[in-house]
Amino acid sequence: MKIFSFKNLGKLALWGGSTAAILGVVALVGVSIYVVQVTEDLPNHEQLREYEPPVMSRMHAGDGLLIAEYAFERRVFVPIDAIPPQVLNAFLAAEDRNFYDHSGVDLMGMTRAAISNVGNIMRGRRLEGGSTITQQVAKNFLLSSEQRIARKVQEIVLAMRMERAFTKDRILELYLNEIFLGNRAYGVAAAALNYFDASLDELELHEIAYLAALPKAPNNYHPERRTEAAIARRNWVLSRMAANGFITEAQAREAQAQPLETTRRLQGDTYLAAEYFVEEVRRELFGMYGEEQLYSGGLSVRTSLDTQAQLAARQALRAGLLEYDRRYGYRGGLAQLEDFDDWPGQLAEIDAPRDMDDGWTIAVVLEVNDGEALIGTVDRARGRVPLSELRWARRPSRSSSSNFPVLGPAISRAGDVLEMGDVILVQRLNEEEDNYALRQMPEVNGAVMALDPYTGRVLAMVGGYSFQHSQFNRATQARRQPGSAFKPFVYAAALDNGFTPASIVLDAPFAATGGADMRFYRPSNYSDRFYGPSTIRLGLELSRNVMTVRLAQDTGMAPVVDYATRFGIYDRLDPVLAMSLGAGETTLWRLMSAYGALVNGGRRVEPTLIDRVQDREGRTIFVHDQRECIGCDVEEWSSDVREPELDELGEDVVDPVTAYQVVSMLEGAVRRGTGSALNALGRPVAGKTGTTNEFRDAWFVGFTPDLVVGVYVGFDTPAPLGSGEAGGRAAAPIARDTFAPILENYPVAPFRVPDGVRLVPIDARSGEPSVLGRPGVILEAFRPGTEPVRGASREDETLTFGRGRERDGDEDAEADDGGVLSGIY
């Protein structure tokens, strides 16, 4: 037996080493070939040099408040120089502490990840990548996220190439603006806004650390659903920041003790109020720039919205619609509970109406007594609805003869309205006594707009009771007959064709030729009375139908049609007398533009929602007001510098004198006529009501020297609002309540009188010249040479047939004769 020698051992070692070397070379060649194969079609990383990530577009109100964002990916791009150092440090500590030292790949990190993955595979957990920030940029921008060896090799190669092509700061900038951080946020700036409603420089240390905790798996650290895990991960980031010397141990402990509190953005009354406005702007931007530019182009949009005016308009409209709804009773509860086992649980499963007013909730009736109903609310509170809060809730129905809504018998006990098990809407009245009031969502709807008549800027627009119930915008999309709200333009046509505000028109029965569907028709007044010879002013102030139709007949329908299209109320109008009472269809949007032309001196200015649009670089790409302002750009203002003058916007559609004459008459319509609800404002206000056949639609458009407010009220499926629900009752109070808070920012001033107007004292009813100080005498506006002369005869005044008794002022103030026609076919 031979003994194994050291010589043989040496040969074996040499043979083994040679074999290993050969295998190593083969492996190296194989790996090299594999690397070449999987990286031969790598994307070109140079494209990142000019990369512009998708950035969300942002919409601001006229006062600068952010009111909406549009994005496929919610991102705000922030250059690296503008990112606070502590934000950079937090992400470096959490994701890649050696970022500024390695060449794109951290071998130690990859080794640690490989060891950990052995356990992860055995436990069925997600594999760790050990990727550097550079590798994550390569993966996020250029590769897929699938976990394959080939993809990992591609990632490593791209990372090394990127490190040679770009600076570390550029790579970190791309990463911090691209990374998905949950809550619809891409990039740190968007995340700061979405989680904390703050810019990066406003974040506190514990908030910064939370954002740095999110890149790996945002859903695992959701601030509400997984609060404990989120805080633990945040605190781990803080500990890593301290370990790396970015913060002190004391700072870390203080930040770790903070609660995790996030904020819901773009919510609350101000944003709810703007929903119709925001959607209308979105549609306009979509038409101007297309989907890609709107949702990824980073547009900055400044709108005309006045947030306080918008809030006032929404509150006034909702209150007005609820008030109308209560006048016509209670339509019943939301549901009925068959048993009371776990009634809170049953209530929780019932879908409550969206967008309810503050304090509203759903409740179930647990017991009914004569004087009250005992209820339980969805939050398990108990309360009572006293009989006094139920007396309005009479059962409504439609009259078979007129189709008007009518009410059932009066309420004498709670059981007349409610029974046990009814699921109802209630509003808490006070905390001490647990008293509640019965409520219901209205079926009627409407719209409100507020407009600057000189620029066309829409300061407020509410298209319905609730955007969450219906996105149909009744300010821009609902085409309805304006009724008497059209009359001022008939009178404007007459004034430009030989009439004056003091001209006499006979208010008496007559039959006129009808249109294609009507041989003859005879107009009637709201009161079914006739008042004989009356001034044009009186006819407009008290909204006389017969006078308006006779005036249109005397003037001819051609001028009326011309004015209707010139003011933009209609694109075309049939030249039949019925149209003089507003029988054509238009929108509140168009009517607002027309009234704006009256108050601004005769220039039609198109309403506009958008003041300015800038691209992602801050360049202005659209501006509404393109007037050149010479002398506006000065470093300082002093009293000896002449104030710059701007050309007026819009096109002339009516003579300024005619426009003022109509304005003056409409001011009388508020003081003495159908718009008297606005007298409560205590300042110069003009306006006109409008009501259509069978009270199907109610309108009011009012204005001060610098502001126009319009209101429309009606059912989406046309139906009578109710007997007496004219514009003065259903719409004018909403306009008044919209005006009141807005006008606090406007000075009290009279309407502007243009050159060429002569103010003459006359008797308001007869139109005869008179003397100031006498009862019933007003200053009337005339063109020089057209004013009445004392002692001149007026043959028209002898035409008294059909004349009825004049009503007193209070009854006249409620009358609105718009759109009431009866015909002989």
Side-chain angles (χ1 to χ4, degrees), residues 104-122:
V105 179
D106 187 349
L107 295 179
M108 291 298 296
M110 292 181 64
T111 300
R112 286 194 300 270
I115 295 172
S116 298
N117 282 337
V118 174
N120 291 335
I121 291 173
M122 296 175 64

Side-chain angles (χ1 to χ4, degrees), residues 33 36 175 259 322 356 454 514 532 540 618 627 647 773 782 816:
I33 294 173
V36 170
Y175 171 77
L322 285 171
M356 295 188 295
Y454 294 92
L540 186 56
R627 294 175 293 177
D647 294 333
F782 295 95
D816 184 346

Side-chain angles (χ1 to χ4, degrees), residues 359-583:
W360 288 33
T361 187
I362 61 171
V364 60
V365 178
L366 301 175
E367 184 179 342
V368 179
N369 303 315
D370 285 348
E372 65 182 10
L374 303 181
I375 61 170
T377 67
V378 70
D379 56 0
R380 299 178 180 270
R382 302 243 182 179
R384 57 187 292 271
V385 181
L387 181 62
S388 59
E389 294 295 335
L390 296 173
R391 294 197 183 278
W392 67 270
R394 299 161 66 184
R395 293 293 177 178
S397 63
R398 290 275 170 179
S399 168
S400 59
S401 59
S402 66
N403 200 30
F404 285 155
V406 295
L407 290 175
I411 304 301
S412 60
R413 58 190 184 88
D416 293 339
V417 179
L418 302 173
E419 60 182 56
M420 290 179 60
D422 282 351
V423 178
I424 59 176
L425 290 176
V426 295
Q427 181 180 22
R428 191 162 194 168
L429 298 178
N430 56 63
E431 296 291 338
E432 291 77 16
E433 299 179 7
D434 290 331
N435 281 350
Y436 290 80
L438 180 66
R439 295 289 183 256
Q440 72 180 356
M441 304 295 281
E443 287 185 339
V444 71
N445 230 305
V448 180
M449 283 182 64
L451 178 78
D452 181 328
Y454 294 92
T455 64
R457 299 176 73 245
V458 177
L459 306 177
M461 178 175 63
V462 185
Y465 180 82
S466 170
F467 185 81
Q468 297 175 42
H469 292 173
S470 167
Q471 296 183 19
F472 180 70
N473 190 331
R474 294 154 191 85
T476 61
Q477 296 175 299
R479 297 181 61 85
R480 295 296 181 89
Q481 296 179 4
S484 295
F486 177 66
K487 288 178 181 176
F489 306 96
V490 177
Y491 284 75
L495 291 171
D496 276 344
N497 284 273
F499 290 84
T500 74
S503 296
I504 298 296
V505 174
L506 182 62
D507 187 348
F510 78 98
T513 303
D517 299 328
M518 183 187 302
R519 291 184 59 192
F520 301 102
Y521 80 88
R522 55 183 180 85
S524 62
N525 288 327
Y526 178 88
S527 62
D528 288 328
R529 299 174 182 173
F530 301 94
Y531 303 98
S534 303
T535 63
I536 280 184
R537 168 178 283 276
L538 200 61
L540 186 56
E541 285 187 359
L542 301 181
S543 199
R544 300 274 177 75
N545 282 347
V546 176
M547 288 183 62
T548 303
V549 176
R550 192 183 290 276
L551 187 64
Q553 186 182 51
D554 291 346
T555 303
M557 280 301 294
V560 174
V561 170
D562 177 45
Y563 275 55
T565 54
R566 187 189 300 182
F567 277 90
I569 301 172
Y570 305 110
D571 291 327
R572 61 179 300 276
L573 187 69
D574 291 335
V576 295
L577 289 177
M579 294 300 170
S580 66
L581 297 182

Side-chain angles (χ1 to χ4, degrees), residues 3 85 100 188 226 252 295 308 353 380 383 397 424 434 457 480 617 661 719 743 755 779 784-785:
I3 300 175
Y100 279 98
V188 291
R226 301 189 176 184
Y295 288 93
Q308 296 305 311
R380 299 178 180 270
S397 63
I424 59 176
D434 290 331
R457 299 176 73 245
R480 295 296 181 89
E617 303 296 334
Q661 287 177 312
L743 288 179
D755 295 336
L779 280 176

